[in-house]
Amino acid sequence: MNIKLGQAVPDFTLPASTGQEISLSQYRGRKVLLYFYPKNMTPACTQEACDFRDAHDRVTAHGAVLLGISPDNLASHGKFIAKNGLPFPLLSDEEHKVSELFGVWQLKKLYGKEFMGIVRSTFLIDEGGILIAEWRKVRVKGHVEAALEQIVK
């Protein structure tokens, strides 16, 4: 099942870099900007995380929450956060359940090899838990600004 625009996003719970588990439902009443990325410490993922870091104050100024999700484990998330000074939690989706729910766990090709992985994507969920915007197959440059424009609407 892939979530579509205008649909309620089912609640999910994942382990977070904060040392606790985070559930989507705990942010009911606030917008949630949820971004999926393939792997910690890779160039494009680092650039995207740093762009979100730099925009974090503007995201929260509009009452929104920013969460990153990748299949990396919590130890990897901890190193990634420390190295890049990320002020938002990263969630670990090692079994790809949430990634599959959003339809971002897909067959990818790189240098002639095929493998399963996350297709970089971002989703904006409104205060009532409805998916109101999505960006699939994201190109990092300029993406964070486009997401911010939707938050302030």
Side-chain angles (χ1 to χ4, degrees), residues 3-68:
I3 299 165
K4 298 193 178 0
L5 285 172
Q7 289 184 331
V9 178
D11 193 25
F12 62 82
T13 302
L14 287 173
S17 56
T18 59
Q20 302 162 329
E21 290 196 334
I22 286 183
S23 297
L24 180 62
S25 60
Q26 74 190 65
Y27 297 111
R28 210 32 77 80
R30 297 176 73 183
K31 287 182 181 172
V32 176
L33 190 62
L34 191 64
Y35 84 98
F36 291 83
Y37 65 99
K39 189 162 181 56
N40 291 333
M41 306 296 187
T42 57
C45 294
T46 299
Q47 182 62 57
E48 182 180 30
C50 290
D51 289 351
F52 276 121
R53 174 200 65 206
D54 296 345
H56 185 255
D57 288 346
R58 290 186 288 157
V59 171
T60 58
H62 292 285
V65 176
L66 177 61
L67 301 171

Side-chain angles (χ1 to χ4, degrees), residues 101-146:
L101 177 69
F102 280 86
V104 300
W105 185 255
Q106 298 177 14
L107 184 65
K108 299 171 76 174
K109 293 180 184 180
L110 185 64
Y111 304 119
K113 294 185 179 186
E114 291 187 341
F115 59 96
M116 294 299 289
I118 285 186
V119 175
R120 188 181 318 280
S121 303
T122 302
F123 301 88
L124 181 60
I125 302 163
D126 75 6
E127 296 86 347
I130 305 297
L131 180 62
I132 58 170
E134 64 181 11
W135 298 264
R136 294 181 181 272
K137 297 182 180 174
V138 165
R139 297 259 185 251
V140 173
K141 187 172 181 173
H143 170 61
V144 170
E145 289 301 321

Side-chain angles (χ1 to χ4, degrees), residues 17 40 73-83 90:
S17 56
N40 291 333
N73 63 39
L74 292 177
S76 176
H77 280 340
K79 291 175 188 170
F80 191 51
I81 287 169
K83 182 173 183 181
L90 298 177

